[in-house]
Amino acid sequence: RLTLRGEIGGPWAWFGFLAGRWSHIETYAGSVLEAEQPLGMEGGFGVQPGLGLLYDTREPELTPDRGVLVELAVRGMPKLPGAEANWIAAFASVRSFWTLAPGAVLGSRITGEAMFGEVPFYDLNTWGGLIPTMGFGGSDTLRGVNFGRWRDVNKAVWNNELRVDVFSHRVLKREIRWQLVPFFDLGMVWGTEPVGEFPVHPGVGLGIHPIVEGTFVGRFDFALGTETVREPDGTVTAETNFGVYVVFEHMF
């Protein structure tokens, strides 16, 4: 993936990218993938161009305590010989940050994308925007929900975090600031398949985030979510799912 970014003036900037991918699909006997044979089973080579616009007033950029980041973008994958993909997608994201008290910041992100055309099943699990993101569920989109458990042509998530400074200290003359981060996530996919009896998928939890010199952020997030299960008698129930995520950088 090759990404270019240029300043327009003030908080405005543009970006563009070009990504290439080769896909090869293998199934095992008795799998749902083998039985359903969704679009994309032939795999092949794909080229994905994209273009977007940014409005960024975050301060500071990596660990913001105020401001917004707005992203608008389009991307697509034209049909190439030997590949089934032929789609275009519109992406939008708004991140907002407010200082509630000294050492307490409320952050919120709303992200959505709509895809049109012939979309292979594995592309349904990707997002547009400046930084490529994978999955509906998991550490980057919906904590407490299994990565890629649900997918469809339309998807949206709403993430909320309260980042509270607990204490700070120095190691080798570098300041390390520790935050407790209670969070609440919601997400939904819809479009070609029925949304089912539990269309909105929630996740809640608590994170421990060390921040080194304001430039490096670690994340230890512990989350509870729901998993829908179809019982032998055909009824659908919701069960609790637990997730632990150890990653770098703030979720948003």
Side-chain angles (χ1 to χ4, degrees):
R1 176 180 169 117
L2 174 66
T3 303
L4 299 176
R5 174 174 172 171
E7 302 300 321
I8 297 175
W12 294 93
W14 64 270
F15 67 91
F17 64 84
L18 182 66
R21 183 196 61 217
W22 173 263
S23 299
H24 176 71
I25 312 301
E26 294 184 2
T27 63
Y28 60 87
S31 67
V32 175
L33 190 61
E34 181 189 57
E36 295 188 352
Q37 294 287 308
L39 181 69
M41 293 297 294
E42 294 184 3
F45 181 69
V47 176
Q48 182 185 141
L51 185 66
L53 186 66
L54 298 174
Y55 178 82
D56 190 358
T57 63
R58 294 173 299 170
E59 291 290 344
E61 182 177 346
L62 295 180
T63 56
D65 54 30
R66 60 191 181 277
V68 299
L69 171 62
V70 180
E71 290 185 65
L72 301 174
V74 292
R75 62 184 178 126
M77 186 167 287
K79 189 175 182 64
L80 296 177
E84 297 179 273
N86 185 23
W87 56 266
I88 189 170
F91 171 88
S93 176
V94 179
R95 312 180 193 192
S96 303
F97 303 92
W98 302 271
T99 297
L100 303 182
V105 175
L106 177 64
S108 182
R109 178 182 69 173
I110 299 177
T111 303
E113 187 170 52
M115 309 180 80
F116 307 92
E118 300 172 344
V119 188
F121 70 94
Y122 43 78
D123 283 328
L124 296 173
N125 210 33
T126 66
W127 297 77
L130 177 63
I131 306 299
T133 303
M134 291 290 294
F136 179 87
S139 64
D140 293 328
T141 57
L142 193 57
R143 292 159 291 193
V145 173
N146 285 330
F147 180 89
R149 174 64 178 83
W150 289 276
R151 61 184 73 202
D152 212 322
V153 292
N154 303 310
K155 51 189 179 291
V157 295
W158 180 36
N159 310 113
N160 298 276
E161 294 186 345
L162 179 60
R163 302 169 182 174
V164 180
D165 290 349
V166 179
F167 68 94
S168 63
H169 60 93
R170 289 187 172 273
V171 175
L172 299 177
K173 299 183 178 180
R174 295 183 180 274
E175 182 188 44
I176 301 179
R177 180 160 49 101
W178 293 84
Q179 290 183 334
L180 281 181
V181 183
F183 58 81
F184 172 59
D185 302 332
L186 284 177
M188 182 176 178
V189 299
W190 72 98
T192 61
E193 300 291 338
V195 296
E197 299 179 32
F198 302 94
V200 178
H201 310 292
V204 298
L206 180 67
I208 302 173
H209 297 184
I211 302 174
V212 182
E213 296 275 299
T215 59
F216 172 85
V217 180
R219 276 202 289 138
F220 303 89
D221 289 342
F222 306 88
L224 291 174
T226 57
E227 175 80 5
T228 53
V229 178
R230 186 173 297 278
E231 305 293 349
D233 62 1
T235 60
V236 178
T237 59
E239 296 184 355
T240 301
N241 188 65
F242 184 63
V244 178
Y245 310 97
V246 181
V247 288
F248 301 120
E249 306 299 340
H250 279 306
M251 185 180 187
F252 59 90

